Every structure is written in structure tokens, then in C-alpha cells.
Amino acid sequence: MAEKFKKILRWQIARNRIGKGKVRFTDKSQVFSVKVSFINEILRENDPYFVLVTRNPYAMCWRGAQTKGGMSHIRDDFSFEERLEWACQHWVNLNKYALEDGKQIDNFTTVRFEDVLKEPEKEIKELCNFTELEFSERMVPQPGDKLPFGCKYSHKWYPLRKDVNQKHFEKLTAKQADIIEGYCGEYADKFGYEKP
């Protein structure tokens, strides 16, 4: 399995490589968040780095329960409360297992998505220091930027929307917030998220 995984990574790097020299492969798959120690072991000789990017569960779980994007059959078959509970379980599992694995490996850190939106240059500089990459002003979204490869939505690049969670908080009921707190409260507290 390890060799198959490395073969896929080598293929991806060869296919998307620009120029020669040292290559950094970056992946943001949620599924890898629950397999940090496994991936660390497979890629140990390549000195992998792991950055867990968190986002406020009161916004993300409510949003996740909406089931937009081709999953209307789920919306029709299950109540919003059931979907909200599943979204909460997903958020907790992803963060819990990533943090547990992160305690056992050398190159692991966390960053709150909301902090990147508030102070992008500061947060990106810290990530560059952690990953031993050279910081460039071009890493921070600016007017006139050409959208990065893979970015689908221009409104998500510049200007950064610091209040991106607000629209979810405004629709969140007290009962829904209690459900989210019941599932996610322990880890929400660890990351400094408060119930709205």
C-alpha cells in the first residue's frame, strides 16, 4: 500500500511539475486528516509536514447539514437535526484524530482558518517558518492577482472575506447551537471557538 501511494504521488509530481529542482507536494484532502500518522510513516524519508486547518464548528457543521451540491436525496431522507449530528461527528472525528496523531510526529501544527482571514500575512509567515519555506508577499491575496491554479471561485480569493461564518451564525438556532456544542464543544474550546 505504501509503494502504491508513493507511486501515485510521484506520478502527480511528474505530471504537474514546473521546472527542475526540489519539489513540494501539497494536498488538502480531509480524508488524510484522520490518517496523519499513517501518511507520516509512509513518507518518513521525505520529511512530511502536516498543517491542520480548523474552521469554526458552529458555522461548518450548520453548513454541512445543508447538503447542497448533488446530495438532495440525503436532504429528503433525513431530518436537518440528523444531518447536523452527522456533520458534528465528522468535524469532531477529523480534528480529534488529527490532533492525536499530531502529538506523535515531529512536523505537525494547527492554524485556524478565521485567523488566516484576519491576519493573512502574519499567519502565512508563521506557516512558512514552520514548513521551512521562503515567504513571499505574493502568497497573500492582493488586488490584481491572477487566480491560483485550482481556484474555482474568484470571490474567494480577494478581497478576503473576514466575516465568512457570519451568514451561518445568523441562521443558527439556539437548539442547533446546543447540538453542535454537545458534540464539538471540547474541541471547539481547544481551538478557541466560542458558541455564538
Side-chain angles (χ1 to χ4, degrees), residues 110-128:
T110 62
V111 63
R112 292 178 357 148
F113 178 72
E114 295 83 3
D115 292 341
V116 174
L117 295 178
K118 286 179 190 170
E119 298 182 277
E121 186 169 324
K122 173 187 173 281
E123 295 296 325
I124 293 171
K125 280 182 179 177
E126 287 179 13
L127 284 174
C128 285

Side-chain angles (χ1 to χ4, degrees), residues 24 40 43-49 106-107 132:
R24 293 268 182 166
N40 184 62
L43 300 177
R44 182 175 298 283
E45 66 194 43
N46 302 103
D47 198 25
Y49 286 76
D106 295 330
N107 301 322
E132 301 176 12

Side-chain angles (χ1 to χ4, degrees), residues 139 141-142 145-148 151 153-160:
M139 294 176 174
Q142 298 176 28
D145 279 352
K146 182 179 175 189
L147 285 180
C151 186
Y153 309 105
S154 60
H155 69 281
K156 292 185 176 184
W157 184 252
Y158 185 87
L160 293 175

Side-chain angles (χ1 to χ4, degrees), residues 1-142:
M1 184 181 286
E3 285 309 309
K4 185 175 182 179
F5 184 73
K6 286 192 237 182
K7 183 178 180 181
I8 292 167
L9 291 182
R10 284 191 293 270
W11 178 81
Q12 284 288 340
I13 290 168
R15 184 171 180 251
N16 297 296
R17 177 181 207 127
I18 299 172
K20 296 190 181 207
K22 190 172 184 178
V23 172
R24 293 268 182 166
F25 177 80
T26 304
D27 186 273
K28 61 177 191 155
S29 301
Q30 285 187 13
V31 71
F32 288 165
S33 299
V34 294
K35 299 177 180 184
V36 171
S37 60
F38 175 69
I39 293 173
N40 184 62
E41 189 59 35
I42 289 173
L43 300 177
R44 182 175 298 283
E45 66 194 43
N46 302 103
D47 198 25
Y49 286 76
F50 298 89
V51 179
L52 174 64
V53 180
T54 66
R55 187 158 170 195
N56 191 310
Y58 296 96
M60 292 311 297
C61 294
W62 185 89
R63 179 180 148 205
Q66 299 305 311
T67 65
K68 293 180 181 173
M71 295 175 57
S72 59
H73 62 285
I74 291 175
R75 184 174 52 244
D76 295 338
D77 292 343
F78 300 97
S79 72
F80 181 83
E81 241 174 60
E82 289 173 303
R83 297 190 318 263
L84 182 60
E85 289 178 2
W86 297 335
C88 291
Q89 291 167 13
H90 173 73
W91 189 92
V92 169
N93 288 337
L94 188 145
N95 290 289
K96 175 185 177 186
Y97 294 119
L99 284 177
E100 286 176 5
D101 282 356
K103 291 177 186 174
Q104 302 170 28
I105 63 175
D106 295 330
N107 301 322
F108 180 90
T109 194
T110 62
V111 63
R112 292 178 357 148
F113 178 72
E114 295 83 3
D115 292 341
V116 174
L117 295 178
K118 286 179 190 170
E119 298 182 277
E121 186 169 324
K122 173 187 173 281
E123 295 296 325
I124 293 171
K125 280 182 179 177
E126 287 179 13
L127 284 174
C128 285
N129 287 335
F130 169 72
T131 55
E132 301 176 12
L133 292 171
E134 186 177 332
F135 174 77
S136 165
E137 295 288 333
R138 295 183 62 216
M139 294 176 174
V140 180
Q142 298 176 28

